[in-house]
Amino acid sequence: MIETNVIYVIVAREFKKFIREKSRLVSTLARPLLWLFLIGGGMSRLVPAGENVSYIQFIFPGILGMTVLFTAIFSSISIIWDKEFGFMKEILVAPVSRFSVVIAKATSGMVLSTFQAIIVLCLFPVIGLRLDPLQVIGVILVSAILSFALAAFGILLASFYENYESFSVIMNFIVMPMFFLSGAMYPVKLLPDVLKFISKLNPLTYGVDALKNIVFPHETGRMSADFSLSLDVLVICSLAVVFVFVAGKVFERKQ
């Protein structure tokens, strides 16, 4: 059974913490801006443009994916802090469903990630992209679904660690490869076969690809999306369910 009051309380707590940590908001927004304008601007001089898409426009969905990835995954770090300061123990001894706790944590990560993705999305006119209202809504919806799936994945990882130091090492080992093998910086279809296979195991690949499908619906060249939008959404939603289910089972074993 899912308790909505538990979800509301945990989401409200995480959002209040985020609003009070203004440096966290600035640092998480600075990263995508640096990648978009410094890396993207520099690489666009070396990488030839597609039929209708420049390189800096091509990486824009990937930068949105990066914003979602870092915010959603690192929001799960709050579980480590909650463990170290005893708050998680208080939650786990309470008569509430473990799945409610997992869904609440994933929802808080989704809210924070989508909020920051919307801020980055506002930059699309600056790089010459033209998006109609339906495309904007589609990008926000995909960002929200992807955020929930990635936050659930981060919660699953965090459930196996008890201190911040070991968790941060694993996150750095996982997060950056996830980003570089997601098709954010280059099309998956152009990767070597081994990397292409690994990319297809990466949840972020389908999120970035879904964003490309929405942002570049008529692009058919090498800058186009690698999979269909329906497949991208199906994979993301399926992974979200699997991550929440497994994380909930792991939390149940900790009681």
Side-chain angles (χ1 to χ4, degrees), residues 114-132:
T114 306
F115 175 69
Q116 296 187 55
I118 291 173
I119 295 176
V120 176
L121 177 62
C122 294
L123 295 173
F124 75 85
V126 178
I127 59 172
L129 280 175
R130 294 182 179 178
L131 302 180
D132 60 40

Side-chain angles (χ1 to χ4, degrees), residues 26-36 63 66 70-71 74:
V26 172
S27 62
T28 51
L29 288 177
R31 182 185 299 110
L33 294 180
L34 289 174
W35 277 84
L36 181 62
I63 297 303
M66 167 197 271
F70 279 83
T71 307
F74 281 93

Side-chain angles (χ1 to χ4, degrees), residues 62-172:
I63 297 303
L64 286 171
M66 167 197 271
T67 306
V68 168
L69 171 68
F70 279 83
T71 307
I73 293 286
F74 281 93
S75 68
S76 57
I77 286 180
S78 66
I79 290 180
I80 304 297
W81 290 113
D82 289 344
K83 286 181 179 179
E84 291 194 349
F85 290 97
F87 183 73
M88 181 55 66
K89 185 177 294 184
E90 294 180 7
I91 293 177
L92 293 179
V93 299
V96 297
S97 164
R98 303 299 183 259
F99 284 100
S100 297
V101 176
V102 172
I103 291 174
K105 285 288 187 181
T107 304
S108 64
M110 179 187 72
V111 171
L112 300 182
S113 303
T114 306
F115 175 69
Q116 296 187 55
I118 291 173
I119 295 176
V120 176
L121 177 62
C122 294
L123 295 173
F124 75 85
V126 178
I127 59 172
L129 280 175
R130 294 182 179 178
L131 302 180
D132 60 40
L134 285 179
Q135 287 177 291
V136 172
I137 293 172
V139 169
I140 294 173
L141 289 177
V142 168
S143 298
I145 298 170
L146 178 64
S147 302
F148 187 86
L150 293 176
F153 177 60
I155 292 166
L156 176 60
L157 291 176
S159 64
F160 293 103
Y161 295 93
E162 300 296 333
N163 60 73
Y164 178 79
E165 288 76 13
S166 59
F167 180 70
S168 61
V169 171
I170 296 298
M171 294 309 292
N172 287 328

Side-chain angles (χ1 to χ4, degrees), residues 143-216:
S143 298
I145 298 170
L146 178 64
S147 302
F148 187 86
L150 293 176
F153 177 60
I155 292 166
L156 176 60
L157 291 176
S159 64
F160 293 103
Y161 295 93
E162 300 296 333
N163 60 73
Y164 178 79
E165 288 76 13
S166 59
F167 180 70
S168 61
V169 171
I170 296 298
M171 294 309 292
N172 287 328
F173 181 72
I174 292 175
V175 170
M176 291 310 294
M178 281 183 69
F179 170 65
F180 284 116
L181 291 174
S182 67
M185 304 301 291
Y186 25 72
V188 172
K189 63 173 72 69
L190 299 183
L191 291 174
D193 290 340
V194 174
L195 296 181
K196 191 184 300 182
F197 174 75
I198 298 174
S199 296
K200 291 180 180 178
L201 303 178
N202 181 1
L204 184 61
T205 298
Y206 300 93
V208 172
D209 197 71
L211 294 171
K212 289 178 184 175
N213 271 305
I214 296 171
V215 175
F216 313 124

Side-chain angles (χ1 to χ4, degrees), residues 15-34:
F15 193 75
K16 287 179 181 177
K17 283 172 57 182
F18 175 76
I19 293 298
R20 290 170 181 169
E21 297 174 3
K22 293 184 173 56
S23 59
R24 180 181 169 191
L25 173 62
V26 172
S27 62
T28 51
L29 288 177
R31 182 185 299 110
L33 294 180
L34 289 174

